[in-house]
Amino acid sequence: MLSACGIVSAIDTHGGAGKGDFVSVKKTHFSRKGQAYYIVGANFWYGGYLGAASGVGERARLLKELDNMRALGINNLRVLAVSEKTEMKSAVRPATTAAPGQYDEELLAGLDFLLAEVAKRDMTVVLYLNNFWQWSGGMTQYLNWFEGTPALDPNVTNDYDGFMKKTAGFYRNAAAQAEYRNVIAKIVKRVNTITGKPYSEDASIMSWQLANEPRPGSGAATPEEKAVYVKWVDEVAGYIHSLDKNHLVSSGSEGLAGSAQDAQLYQDAHRTHNIDYLTYHLWPKNWGWFDSKDPIGSWDGAIAKSRDYLNSHIELAKKLNKPIVLEEFGLDRDGPSFSVKATTKIRDRFYREVFDIIYRRASKGDPIAGFNFWAWGGAGRAANADYWWKPGNDFVGDPPQEEQGLYSVFDSDVSSLLLIKEYADRLHAIKH
Ligand SMILES: O=C1NC[C@H](CO)[C@@H](O)[C@@H]1O
């Protein structure tokens, strides 16, 4: 395991943040502290949970995880900011929102601790304020509160299309949107209980994000559903900007896979000046391109589709004249296996393919601004023989709706960590 020897420097975070300290967009690139800023990031959805003072909190582990990520050159973390209490088995518990208007202050203070420690390491975070999926309660839980419909867990219903179509009803539900905006205001206007700094003035926050992977509905979304989605993105992003003049706002979209494969929709939803940069995700196995039980037979087709997905979205970013971040991608361990003892040869090969395209196109000045791999497992370990998460178990990169070890990069995955460091060094060296 790589250690954090010497890389971490105690950077004074108590000085006020000047405007230049905030990540900003300069044409199709990010800028921070007067320099081009490339995202070498990890998905670390549970960072706020580890930061809590008691209960689920594990502050000593959090500090070690941050030091180890920093030592690799990771400069950005994509973190779940809020969760909704739900009966669904596949969701994390506890949640920051117990019920509409009832917030768990101790859990929210976990985010304060995370931000304070991130700032000390000169890292930045992207905070997402909702979830299209059920593993943190998310939009389906809002509908349970405000429509009285059951919160839908696709792990139970096995009906993803029905889940997506119903969950998109969130965008049209006025009461759910009102509570969602209450939660947004509570977080965006929060004052850090550890540093005393208002979040809106904290330059270690890079961006607010509407949700994790918001989709317009299912793959067969209607023109009306698409129009509702486009309006929702614009209006909520505008609302966040009305609360906070300093930070960027992004959608959390997966790209075409999360836009009913409709490039026009993706562009229409992200054209608004309220969206400062674009996001996309790459999931060859989830999307049926890669068969981890037949890696040799499915590799060529999967990597060809992945390369096309990676490149075509950079072309869309050129058309929209905005930076784009590949803020999620992953592949499972050899076998396939969830075991931390399994090798990661195929995943490493996939990561290298992804990194190489990002690095080459970023070096040419294309609007690809970096990546966040999914996801940092670090010192966490699966606790149960069936690899499912139960309250009290370690948090790993895989949220509770998936086996603990599916896509996580653990601190013992040395080949993966070295690969991340190799490309971190390359991206950080790009000057223009
Ligand atoms: O945002 C996400 N995208 C893909 C991940 C792995 O399947 C999943 O865990 C998460 O909901």
Side-chain angles (χ1 to χ4, degrees):
M1 181 185 77
L2 290 168
S3 72
C5 51
I7 294 234
V8 175
S9 57
I11 292 164
D12 169 26
T13 61
H14 302 293
K19 194 70 185 158
D21 295 347
F22 291 89
V23 180
S24 61
V25 170
K26 296 263 181 298
K27 294 202 180 87
T28 57
H29 293 85
F30 291 135
S31 173
R32 182 171 184 255
K33 298 183 180 176
Q35 297 215 319
Y37 187 66
Y38 282 92
I39 304 299
V40 175
N43 277 276
F44 191 48
W45 67 270
Y46 55 95
Y49 277 79
L50 290 186
S54 64
V56 293
E58 280 187 84
R59 289 183 168 180
R61 177 186 167 196
L62 177 58
L63 299 184
K64 257 185 6 193
E65 303 288 15
L66 293 176
D67 288 346
N68 286 341
M69 284 190 267
R70 197 74 189 85
L72 294 172
I74 290 168
N75 64 359
N76 176 269
L77 305 173
R78 183 167 173 262
V79 177
L80 176 76
V82 290
S83 47
E84 294 73 31
K85 186 174 180 181
T86 181
E87 293 304 312
M88 292 186 286
K89 205 164 63 71
S90 301
V92 64
R93 46 179 58 82
T96 60
T97 302
Q102 291 174 35
Y103 310 114
D104 180 333
E105 191 42 50
E106 185 170 36
L107 200 43
L108 286 174
L111 217 43
D112 297 345
F113 184 88
L114 172 70
L115 287 174
E117 292 302 323
V118 158
K120 288 177 188 171
R121 293 161 178 80
D122 200 29
M123 297 167 90
T124 58
V125 297
V126 172
L127 296 175
Y128 44 99
L129 296 157
N130 208 324
N131 197 344
F132 187 75
W133 306 111
Q134 85 285 19
W135 54 263
S136 57
M139 295 177 187
T140 191
Q141 183 50 48
Y142 274 90
L143 292 174
N144 172 251
W145 285 332
F146 293 102
E147 249 176 24
T149 47
L152 294 173
D153 182 347
N155 279 359
V156 173
T157 63
N158 289 313
D159 172 10
Y160 269 92
D161 276 350
F163 170 87
M164 293 188 281
K165 188 165 182 60
K166 290 194 178 81
T167 298
F170 168 75
Y171 308 125
R172 290 190 298 276
N173 184 298
Q177 289 303 309
E179 170 58 14
Y180 171 53
R181 288 188 180 215
N182 291 340
V183 171
I184 289 174
K186 179 155 184 72
I187 302 296
V188 173
K189 290 162 63 176
R190 182 175 177 83
V191 176
N192 191 311
T193 56
I194 292 172
T195 63
K197 184 174 284 192
Y199 276 29
S200 61
E201 293 167 24
D202 187 342
S204 57
I205 296 171
M206 167 180 155
S207 167
W208 298 111
Q209 196 162 85
L210 303 189
N212 176 50
E213 300 198 334
R215 292 190 174 191
S218 74
T222 65
E224 295 71 31
E225 288 169 330
K226 291 177 180 179
V228 165
Y229 176 76
V230 170
K231 185 166 177 284
W232 175 78
V233 170
D234 175 47
E235 291 181 351
V236 177
Y239 175 62
I240 296 172
H241 279 301
S242 75
L243 300 174
D244 175 348
K245 304 295 179 209
N246 291 322
H247 289 107
L248 304 178
V249 177
S250 56
S251 68
S253 170
E254 301 151 273
L256 297 200
S259 308
Q261 302 301 339
D262 179 344
Q264 192 58 51
L265 171 62
Y266 181 75
Q267 295 173 82
D268 292 346
H270 293 88
R271 197 185 313 284
T272 169
H273 69 279
N274 290 327
I275 291 291
D276 297 292
Y277 70 95
L278 308 172
T279 63
Y280 69 135
H281 302 179
L282 176 61
W283 289 106
K285 178 183 174 183
N286 292 4
W287 298 343
W289 299 350
F290 179 72
D291 177 358
S292 48
K293 293 189 174 70
D294 177 19
I296 310 298
S298 62
W299 173 265
D300 289 349
I303 206 63
K305 287 176 183 158
S306 298
R307 287 175 186 138
D308 178 58
Y309 200 83
L310 287 165
N311 286 309
S312 60
H313 283 76
I314 298 172
E315 296 311 312
L316 288 174
K318 282 183 180 175
K319 283 173 81 173
L320 289 168
N321 201 31
K322 297 184 181 182
I324 189 166
V325 178
L326 178 71
E327 58 168 28
E328 282 190 22
F329 62 94
L331 208 62
D332 38 358
R333 310 177 78 87
D334 300 335
S337 168
F338 307 123
S339 169
V340 67
K341 295 189 178 65
T343 52
T344 60
K345 290 186 175 52
I346 299 168
R347 183 177 78 185
D348 290 349
R349 190 177 166 202
F350 173 64
Y351 269 42
R352 185 174 288 281
E353 288 272 351
V354 170
F355 290 155
D356 206 47
I357 287 175
I358 291 175
Y359 173 66
R360 276 189 296 106
R361 296 209 57 181
S363 302
K364 277 172 40 187
D366 285 339
I368 177 72
F371 65 83
N372 296 74
F373 62 89
W374 183 281
W376 185 261
R381 292 295 184 268
N384 306 306
D386 63 3
Y387 292 99
W388 289 103
W389 183 85
K390 292 187 177 68
N393 291 161
D394 277 358
F395 292 117
V396 300
D398 307 292
Q401 92 289 4
E402 287 168 324
E403 290 87 351
Q404 305 292 283
L406 177 62
Y407 293 124
S408 288
V409 177
F410 293 108
D411 58 8
S412 52
D413 292 339
V414 175
S415 60
S416 304
L417 301 180
L418 288 172
L419 191 55
I420 291 163
K421 173 120 185 46
E422 177 187 339
Y423 278 90
D425 293 346
R426 289 184 174 177
L427 271 176
H428 291 325
I430 296 177
K431 297 282 173 254
H432 54 74

